[in-house]
Amino acid sequence: MRDAPPPPATTGGAGHFGIRAKLAVAVGAVGVMILVAAGLTWFSYTDIERLLAAVARTNLPSVANALKLSEATARLAAAAPALDGSTSQFQRQSNFVALQQQTERLLALIDQLAGAATDQGRVEELRSMIAAFADNVVDRNILVDRRLQLADRSRALAQTISRLDVEIHGNGDRDREGEQTLAGLVLTSTYLREAVVAPDMESVGRLRAAYEDQVRRLLQPIEAAGNSPRAARDRALARQVMALGAGPENVFELRVLQMLTQERLAVANDEGRDLVARTASAVGRLVSAAEADAALNEHRTEAAITRGRQTLLAVAMLTFFGPLLFVWMYLGRNIVARLTGLAEAMHRIVAGDFDTPIPGGGQDAVSYTHLRAHETIALI
């Protein structure tokens, strides 16, 4: 038996960071990677959920309401001229009710849009324009009603003038002075009839001046005609002519009122068209803004999905290659290689080569096994 050489300076045992502990750490690291992957996945999907919720709950309703608002504005623009062109009170009332319904629908759509739109200032501007258009529709309805009433009275006066012409021309045979009176009555009636359809204020003023001058010329022969039946009829016709041209709401004043009403209606119509055009422009901007917000959130969602995929791919690669490197570098190169070296040394020793060195090193269970093998060989 040979003297036992001193054992190698190594320690091992349960008190050191052994193989079991290292395996536990490795498995724990893999578990941490899996938890990190789950956390990153959760975060990515939370971000995607937020963006998709914004698209579904905000952008899509905004775009849908804005498009509905654009369609309603187009219908309003198409229906507005019908009120001005009304030819009867029934048609006027029907067109006015239709415009009111269109306006109320626009306001309801704006209320829906206000809950989803991000630009509340633009929504309030649109609401104020719709309210102004509603007031404009009310004013135009009043003016159209006034125009129709004046047109009815104008037609009634025209019929009265036509009947008066018939009476004037059917007033029997006349002498020379009677012919002059008849000519004066016919001329005065002609001025009245032309005033009913006068095209402008200047024409009305010219016809009124000519009418008043003719009435003054007509009064003298009528008053001097005596008390004959024909003179009495001429005086009655003259009174009717003067009532039509100088009485309350006479032909000239009625025509002036008609033209003033038409002018006010034209101004209100221009204002309404301007409001509709501004409303359509504001609605177009709202549609563009809503579509831009939807496109931006769509881009953000795609970017979040891409980031999530990249993160998941990185974590998957770490989770796959981490344990693989652990097995290759630690188990393969450290534990397995050392155990293989120890087995080869033991085989050579069993074969009789007692000078074979036993590999050592480390502070784990394998190094402890090396130590015990060295002590056993030393005892032999």
Side-chain angles (χ1 to χ4, degrees), residues 17-27 323 325-344 359-370:
F17 193 70
I19 296 176
R20 183 178 299 175
K22 292 180 180 179
L23 289 175
V25 171
V27 173
L325 290 174
F326 171 76
V327 171
W328 179 60
M329 295 183 66
Y330 179 69
L331 293 181
R333 299 183 60 183
N334 190 347
I335 298 177
V336 176
R338 289 163 64 196
L339 289 175
T340 302
L342 178 59
E344 291 177 353
Q363 294 182 354
D364 53 15
V366 176
S367 62
Y368 185 75
T369 303
H370 290 171

Side-chain angles (χ1 to χ4, degrees), residues 100-137:
Q100 279 189 319
Q101 291 175 348
Q102 291 284 349
T103 304
E104 291 173 357
R105 184 169 182 268
L106 277 174
L107 291 174
L109 289 173
I110 291 175
D111 291 337
Q112 295 178 9
L113 188 63
T118 55
D119 193 350
Q120 294 298 323
R122 189 172 293 174
V123 173
E124 291 302 322
E125 177 188 5
L126 185 59
R127 192 194 305 274
S128 65
M129 285 191 290
I130 296 299
F133 182 78
D135 295 336
N136 175 264
V137 169

Side-chain angles (χ1 to χ4, degrees), residues 243-265:
L244 290 173
E249 296 186 355
N250 57 70
V251 171
F252 303 103
E253 292 181 358
L254 181 62
R255 186 56 183 164
V256 170
L257 287 176
Q258 281 184 296
M259 286 187 284
L260 290 176
T261 302
Q262 289 286 6
E263 290 178 1
R264 291 176 59 191
L265 185 58

Side-chain angles (χ1 to χ4, degrees), residues 9 16 32 58 94 102 161 223:
H16 296 277
V32 169
T58 302
S94 299
Q102 291 284 349
I161 294 171
E223 294 298 332

Side-chain angles (χ1 to χ4, degrees), residues 5-89:
T10 183
T11 58
H16 296 277
F17 193 70
I19 296 176
R20 183 178 299 175
K22 292 180 180 179
L23 289 175
V25 171
V27 173
V30 174
V32 169
M33 289 183 183
I34 295 174
L35 290 177
V36 171
L40 292 175
T41 304
W42 178 272
F43 176 76
S44 298
Y45 277 102
T46 300
D47 193 25
I48 294 172
E49 179 185 8
R50 179 183 61 81
L51 293 172
L52 290 178
V55 172
R57 299 174 184 174
T58 302
N59 297 132
L60 292 181
S62 296
V63 172
N65 289 329
L67 291 176
K68 290 179 182 179
L69 193 62
S70 178
E71 180 187 0
T73 303
R75 290 182 178 179
L76 184 66
L83 177 63
D84 300 329
S86 300
T87 57
S88 65
Q89 292 291 353

